[in-house]
Amino acid sequence: MANLFSSSSSSSSSSSSSSSSGFSLSIQAPKMVEKKAKIVIIGAGMAGLMAANKLYTAPGSKDLFDIAVVEGGGRIGGRINTAEFMGERIEMGATWIHGIGGSPIHEIADRIGALNSDQPWECMDGYSGQSTTVAEGGVELSPATVDPISTLFKNLMDFAQGKIAGESNILHQGNYDKLSVGAFLRQGLESYWLSRNGVTEVNGCGEWSQKALEEAIFAMYENNQRTYTSAGELSTLDFVAESEYQMFPGEEITIAKGYLSVIESIASVLPPGLVQLGKKVTKIEWNPEPESRNIPTPVTLHFADGSHTSADHVIVTVSLGVLKAGTREDSALFNPPLPSFKTEAISRLGFGVVNKLFLRLSQPANDGDNPKSNNKFPCLNFVFHQPDSEFRRKKIPWWMRKITTLQPIYQNSSILLSWFAGEEALQLEKLKDEEIINGVSTTISNFLIPRSQNENSESDSNGWSNGHRNRNDTVEFQLNQVLKSQWGSDPLFQGSYSYVAVGSSGEDLDAMAEPLPRTEESPKAPLLQILFAGEATHRTHYSTTHGAYFSGLREANRLLHHYNCI
């Protein structure tokens, strides 16, 4: 997937920023105005701050524009939120630079020196170390068992994303219109089984038949894809649109000094007072037919504190989740309501929930100062029994059954990280810390079986048997601190990032980006009352921070072009 928090991401290099803005550069005389045009930007995330940065720094803009950014929360960054947990630098939201080739986020982070740090940080080693894949019940799986399914899944996703052509012995060729990514993947798995003509290539493991084991491994990769896309179920993710999603070349990395350092750099050019925190917008009044009312400014914003302000132009950068809530019949965020082409696009597009769970081990990852200590938590991949299996461990809570990994945030760290998506992510937000610790600990105990309980297992080079220390079979991992993100229940976001759902299309992302009122609907009206930016308004870079960056740049350039500044 491609996402704000974790997954794969977007487009081709230098051409992206120019094409993303939607305007070619030309020099014109700025439009003369009697008073400064008031521009209010709703939201101080990546899109909003990038729009403000571009507008404020454009030549001559200080004589043309009165700019304000209003943010409902008490911080800048939006879905970028660098934090600390037990002394470790972590990301509660956006985590990865998805490809460094041509990424504006990488360019900024590199320029400000944010890619290196003396302090360790989340994913500093990129999860490139050895991982251990364990099946429910404590069966450690060999690469010979896992790799064929891993390769199959990767090839299917590469085909879905337009990276490779399909092979007839794996893929059913045909019309994929209205097909979901989930249905396509399962079709590919069935074709894989058919291609083997029922021949058993490897034996099952204990309670696991070969087919059940392969299906469960495949499901592990499907669950990982859920966190990439934010689609709670891959059956809701549109297959055709998947190939429109563009990727940056190069490695995926995290930002040593925190993602917030990029946001702070973008905001640093803005003068004090331009960004106003704690200003939650409750109503946006606009005028689809300006000639019917004699008003000096066409848009009025009302705030939760009872105040209001008027503007010539408003750039709305709130999340798609907030727009979905704001366009329901019982909501009055927009008055009058948005036109149908906009509300239908908002309704059709998907907006999911992805949350991160951090847990602290009660004992250090190393014994004392000995760096070669065996007391390390392994980088675990979980293979769960399917819902219809008689071998499912009943004590494992349902909200743990679709996680893919649990691993230290970097090698030897005492902080563990796991990702949750969909209903499981929403449930995580409701649980108390004690319930989370108990649920995770129960899951670990059903995967990391002490050697005395699993005589067929072999110790690895670290002296572990399926992850538990082999020393007297008495040492187990204890968890004592929890930190979780809660994007689904946060009223300022109501989810994590967007995806193209079945029944939607890339055209809906384009519709999201259209300003109001539409030119053809009000040909004589002053244009650009309400503009829209944010990751959910970018057709090929949705769900990413750089998609949000490009969208903010696009809307700023739209206004600069309107006033002949470009």
Side-chain angles (χ1 to χ4, degrees):
M1 139 192 152
N3 60 51
L4 273 170
F5 299 170
S6 102
S7 64
S8 57
S9 219
S10 324
S11 136
S12 45
S13 60
S14 58
S15 62
S16 298
S17 58
S18 59
S19 62
S20 298
S21 68
F23 302 99
S24 60
L25 296 177
S26 60
I27 305 299
Q28 303 178 45
K31 183 184 295 185
M32 298 303 294
V33 292
E34 295 181 0
K35 66 177 183 65
K36 290 185 179 181
K38 180 68 176 293
I39 301 173
V40 178
I41 301 166
I42 303 176
M46 178 65 80
L49 290 175
M50 188 58 223
N53 177 297
K54 180 66 177 179
L55 288 168
Y56 185 78
T57 59
S61 66
K62 294 178 182 62
D63 296 325
L64 288 173
F65 305 134
D66 177 10
I67 305 168
V69 178
V70 292
E71 164 59 48
R75 61 175 179 83
I76 65 171
R79 283 167 277 173
I80 294 172
N81 185 13
T82 303
E84 280 203 0
F85 178 52
M86 309 308 295
E88 300 276 24
R89 180 179 293 135
I90 59 167
E91 304 288 358
M92 297 298 288
T95 302
W96 296 92
I97 296 176
H98 294 297
I100 63 175
S103 166
I105 309 303
H106 178 262
E107 188 277 328
I108 295 172
D110 186 40
R111 173 168 48 82
I112 65 176
L115 297 178
N116 297 289
S117 172
D118 294 332
Q119 175 188 347
W121 67 94
E122 182 185 342
C123 305
M124 57 183 288
D125 41 17
Y127 290 167
S128 57
Q130 283 98 7
S131 62
T132 301
T133 302
V134 183
E136 188 172 342
V139 179
E140 185 171 328
L141 304 181
S142 69
T145 301
V146 177
D147 289 353
I149 303 301
S150 174
T151 300
L152 169 66
F153 189 89
K154 181 181 184 303
N155 287 342
L156 289 169
M157 284 307 305
D158 283 350
F159 177 84
Q161 294 167 352
K163 299 175 184 176
I164 62 172
E167 298 179 8
S168 59
N169 64 329
I170 292 181
L171 303 168
H172 294 308
Q173 303 300 315
N175 183 1
Y176 296 117
D177 287 345
K178 298 184 180 180
L179 181 70
S180 71
V181 169
F184 168 77
L185 289 171
R186 284 292 161 153
Q187 187 180 93
L189 180 61
E190 291 290 340
S191 296
Y192 173 77
W193 284 331
L194 288 172
S195 70
R196 295 207 316 239
N197 295 319
V199 176
T200 300
E201 298 175 357
V202 292
N203 294 323
C205 302
E207 65 197 45
W208 290 88
S209 68
Q210 180 196 353
K211 185 173 182 180
L213 190 56
E214 289 179 341
E215 183 176 16
I217 295 169
F218 195 84
M220 176 182 70
Y221 290 107
E222 288 177 312
N223 288 329
N224 202 40
Q225 197 68 23
R226 292 165 69 235
T227 65
Y228 288 167
T229 62
S230 91
E233 298 296 337
L234 297 185
S235 60
T236 66
L237 187 65
D238 186 74
F239 176 82
V240 173
E242 190 70 15
S243 62
E244 287 194 353
Y245 190 83
Q246 295 183 18
M247 310 284 289
F248 279 128
E251 62 182 321
E252 295 186 271
I253 62 173
T254 52
I255 301 176
K257 293 182 179 176
Y259 233 112
L260 193 59
S261 63
V262 174
I263 284 290
E264 290 172 340
S265 175
I266 293 171
S268 65
V269 304
L270 305 176
L274 191 147
V275 178
Q276 304 170 33
L277 301 179
K279 298 289 288 185
K280 182 180 179 181
V281 175
T282 57
K283 183 184 295 185
I284 303 171
E285 291 184 326
W286 63 295
N287 192 15
E289 300 176 356
E291 291 183 349
S292 66
R293 290 163 55 192
N294 184 19
I295 52 176
T297 50
V299 185
T300 300
L301 301 180
H302 297 264
F303 300 99
D305 61 9
S307 63
H308 62 86
T309 190
S310 296
D312 297 283
H313 312 283
V314 171
I315 304 178
V316 176
T317 74
V318 299
S319 75
L320 177 58
V322 171
L323 290 176
K324 282 179 176 289
T327 53
R328 291 196 299 258
E329 290 185 2
D330 59 348
S331 174
L333 179 59
F334 293 93
N335 182 28
L338 296 176
S340 59
F341 85 91
K342 186 75 75 171
T343 58
E344 289 169 3
I346 291 170
S347 176
R348 284 191 293 258
L349 287 167
F351 191 72
V353 181
V354 176
N355 279 318
K356 300 173 71 173
L357 172 65
F358 298 92
L359 302 130
R360 180 179 181 267
L361 293 167
S362 59
Q363 51 190 357
N366 289 329
D367 286 338
D369 297 324
N370 179 11
K372 296 184 179 180
S373 167
N374 291 330
N375 187 21
K376 300 177 182 178
F377 193 92
C379 180
L380 278 180
N381 301 324
F382 292 94
V383 175
F384 290 95
H385 278 297
Q386 296 299 285
D388 58 353
S389 172
E390 62 180 300
F391 298 109
R392 281 164 62 99
R393 271 60 178 176
K394 295 181 179 179
K395 291 184 178 181
I396 296 177
W398 69 268
W399 47 268
M400 283 292 295
R401 285 195 164 274
K402 289 189 177 181
I403 69 165
T404 301
T405 60
L406 180 65
Q407 52 201 349
I409 59 172
Y410 58 83
Q411 189 174 5
N412 297 339
S413 174
S414 295
I415 306 300
L416 308 181
L417 168 63
S418 190
W419 296 74
F420 291 73
E423 291 298 321
E424 292 78 13
L426 288 171
Q427 179 66 18
L428 183 71
E429 299 186 17
K430 302 174 184 177
L431 298 173
K432 298 178 181 178
D433 287 0
E434 183 180 0
E435 294 175 303
I436 294 172
I437 289 173
N438 290 339
V440 175
S441 298
T442 297
T443 304
I444 292 173
S445 69
N446 279 277
F447 278 79
L448 303 184
I449 307 298
R451 184 177 176 84
S452 60
Q453 298 179 32
N454 188 359
E455 297 300 332
N456 294 326
S457 65
E458 296 181 359
S459 299
D460 62 20
S461 59
N462 291 326
W464 294 86
S465 171
N466 285 336
H468 276 239
R469 197 158 79 176
N470 225 7
R471 190 185 305 163
N472 301 324
D473 291 335
T474 57
V475 177
E476 294 186 2
F477 298 110
Q478 300 295 324
L479 307 170
N480 66 356
Q481 295 288 337
V482 171
L483 181 65
K484 61 188 177 183
S485 60
Q486 302 184 71
W487 297 105
S489 57
D490 191 321
L492 295 178
F493 304 101
Q494 304 195 37
S496 300
Y497 37 90
S498 63
Y499 64 94
V500 182
V502 173
S504 183
S505 70
E507 292 181 358
D508 286 328
L509 293 163
D510 288 340
M512 290 290 298
E514 277 201 53
L516 297 175
R518 260 184 166 178
T519 303
E520 60 266 30
E521 294 176 353
S522 301
K524 296 182 181 180
L527 303 179
L528 309 182
Q529 289 183 35
I530 305 179
L531 302 89
F532 294 85
E535 51 86 14
T537 70
H538 201 293
R539 183 159 184 163
T540 58
H541 299 274
Y542 56 90
S543 83
T544 65
T545 54
H546 56 265
Y549 174 101
F550 286 141
S551 73
L553 183 65
R554 179 193 66 216
E555 296 312 308
N557 281 337
R558 196 191 300 273
L559 284 172
L560 292 170
H561 185 269
H562 181 70
Y563 285 93
N564 297 336
C565 293
I566 292 182

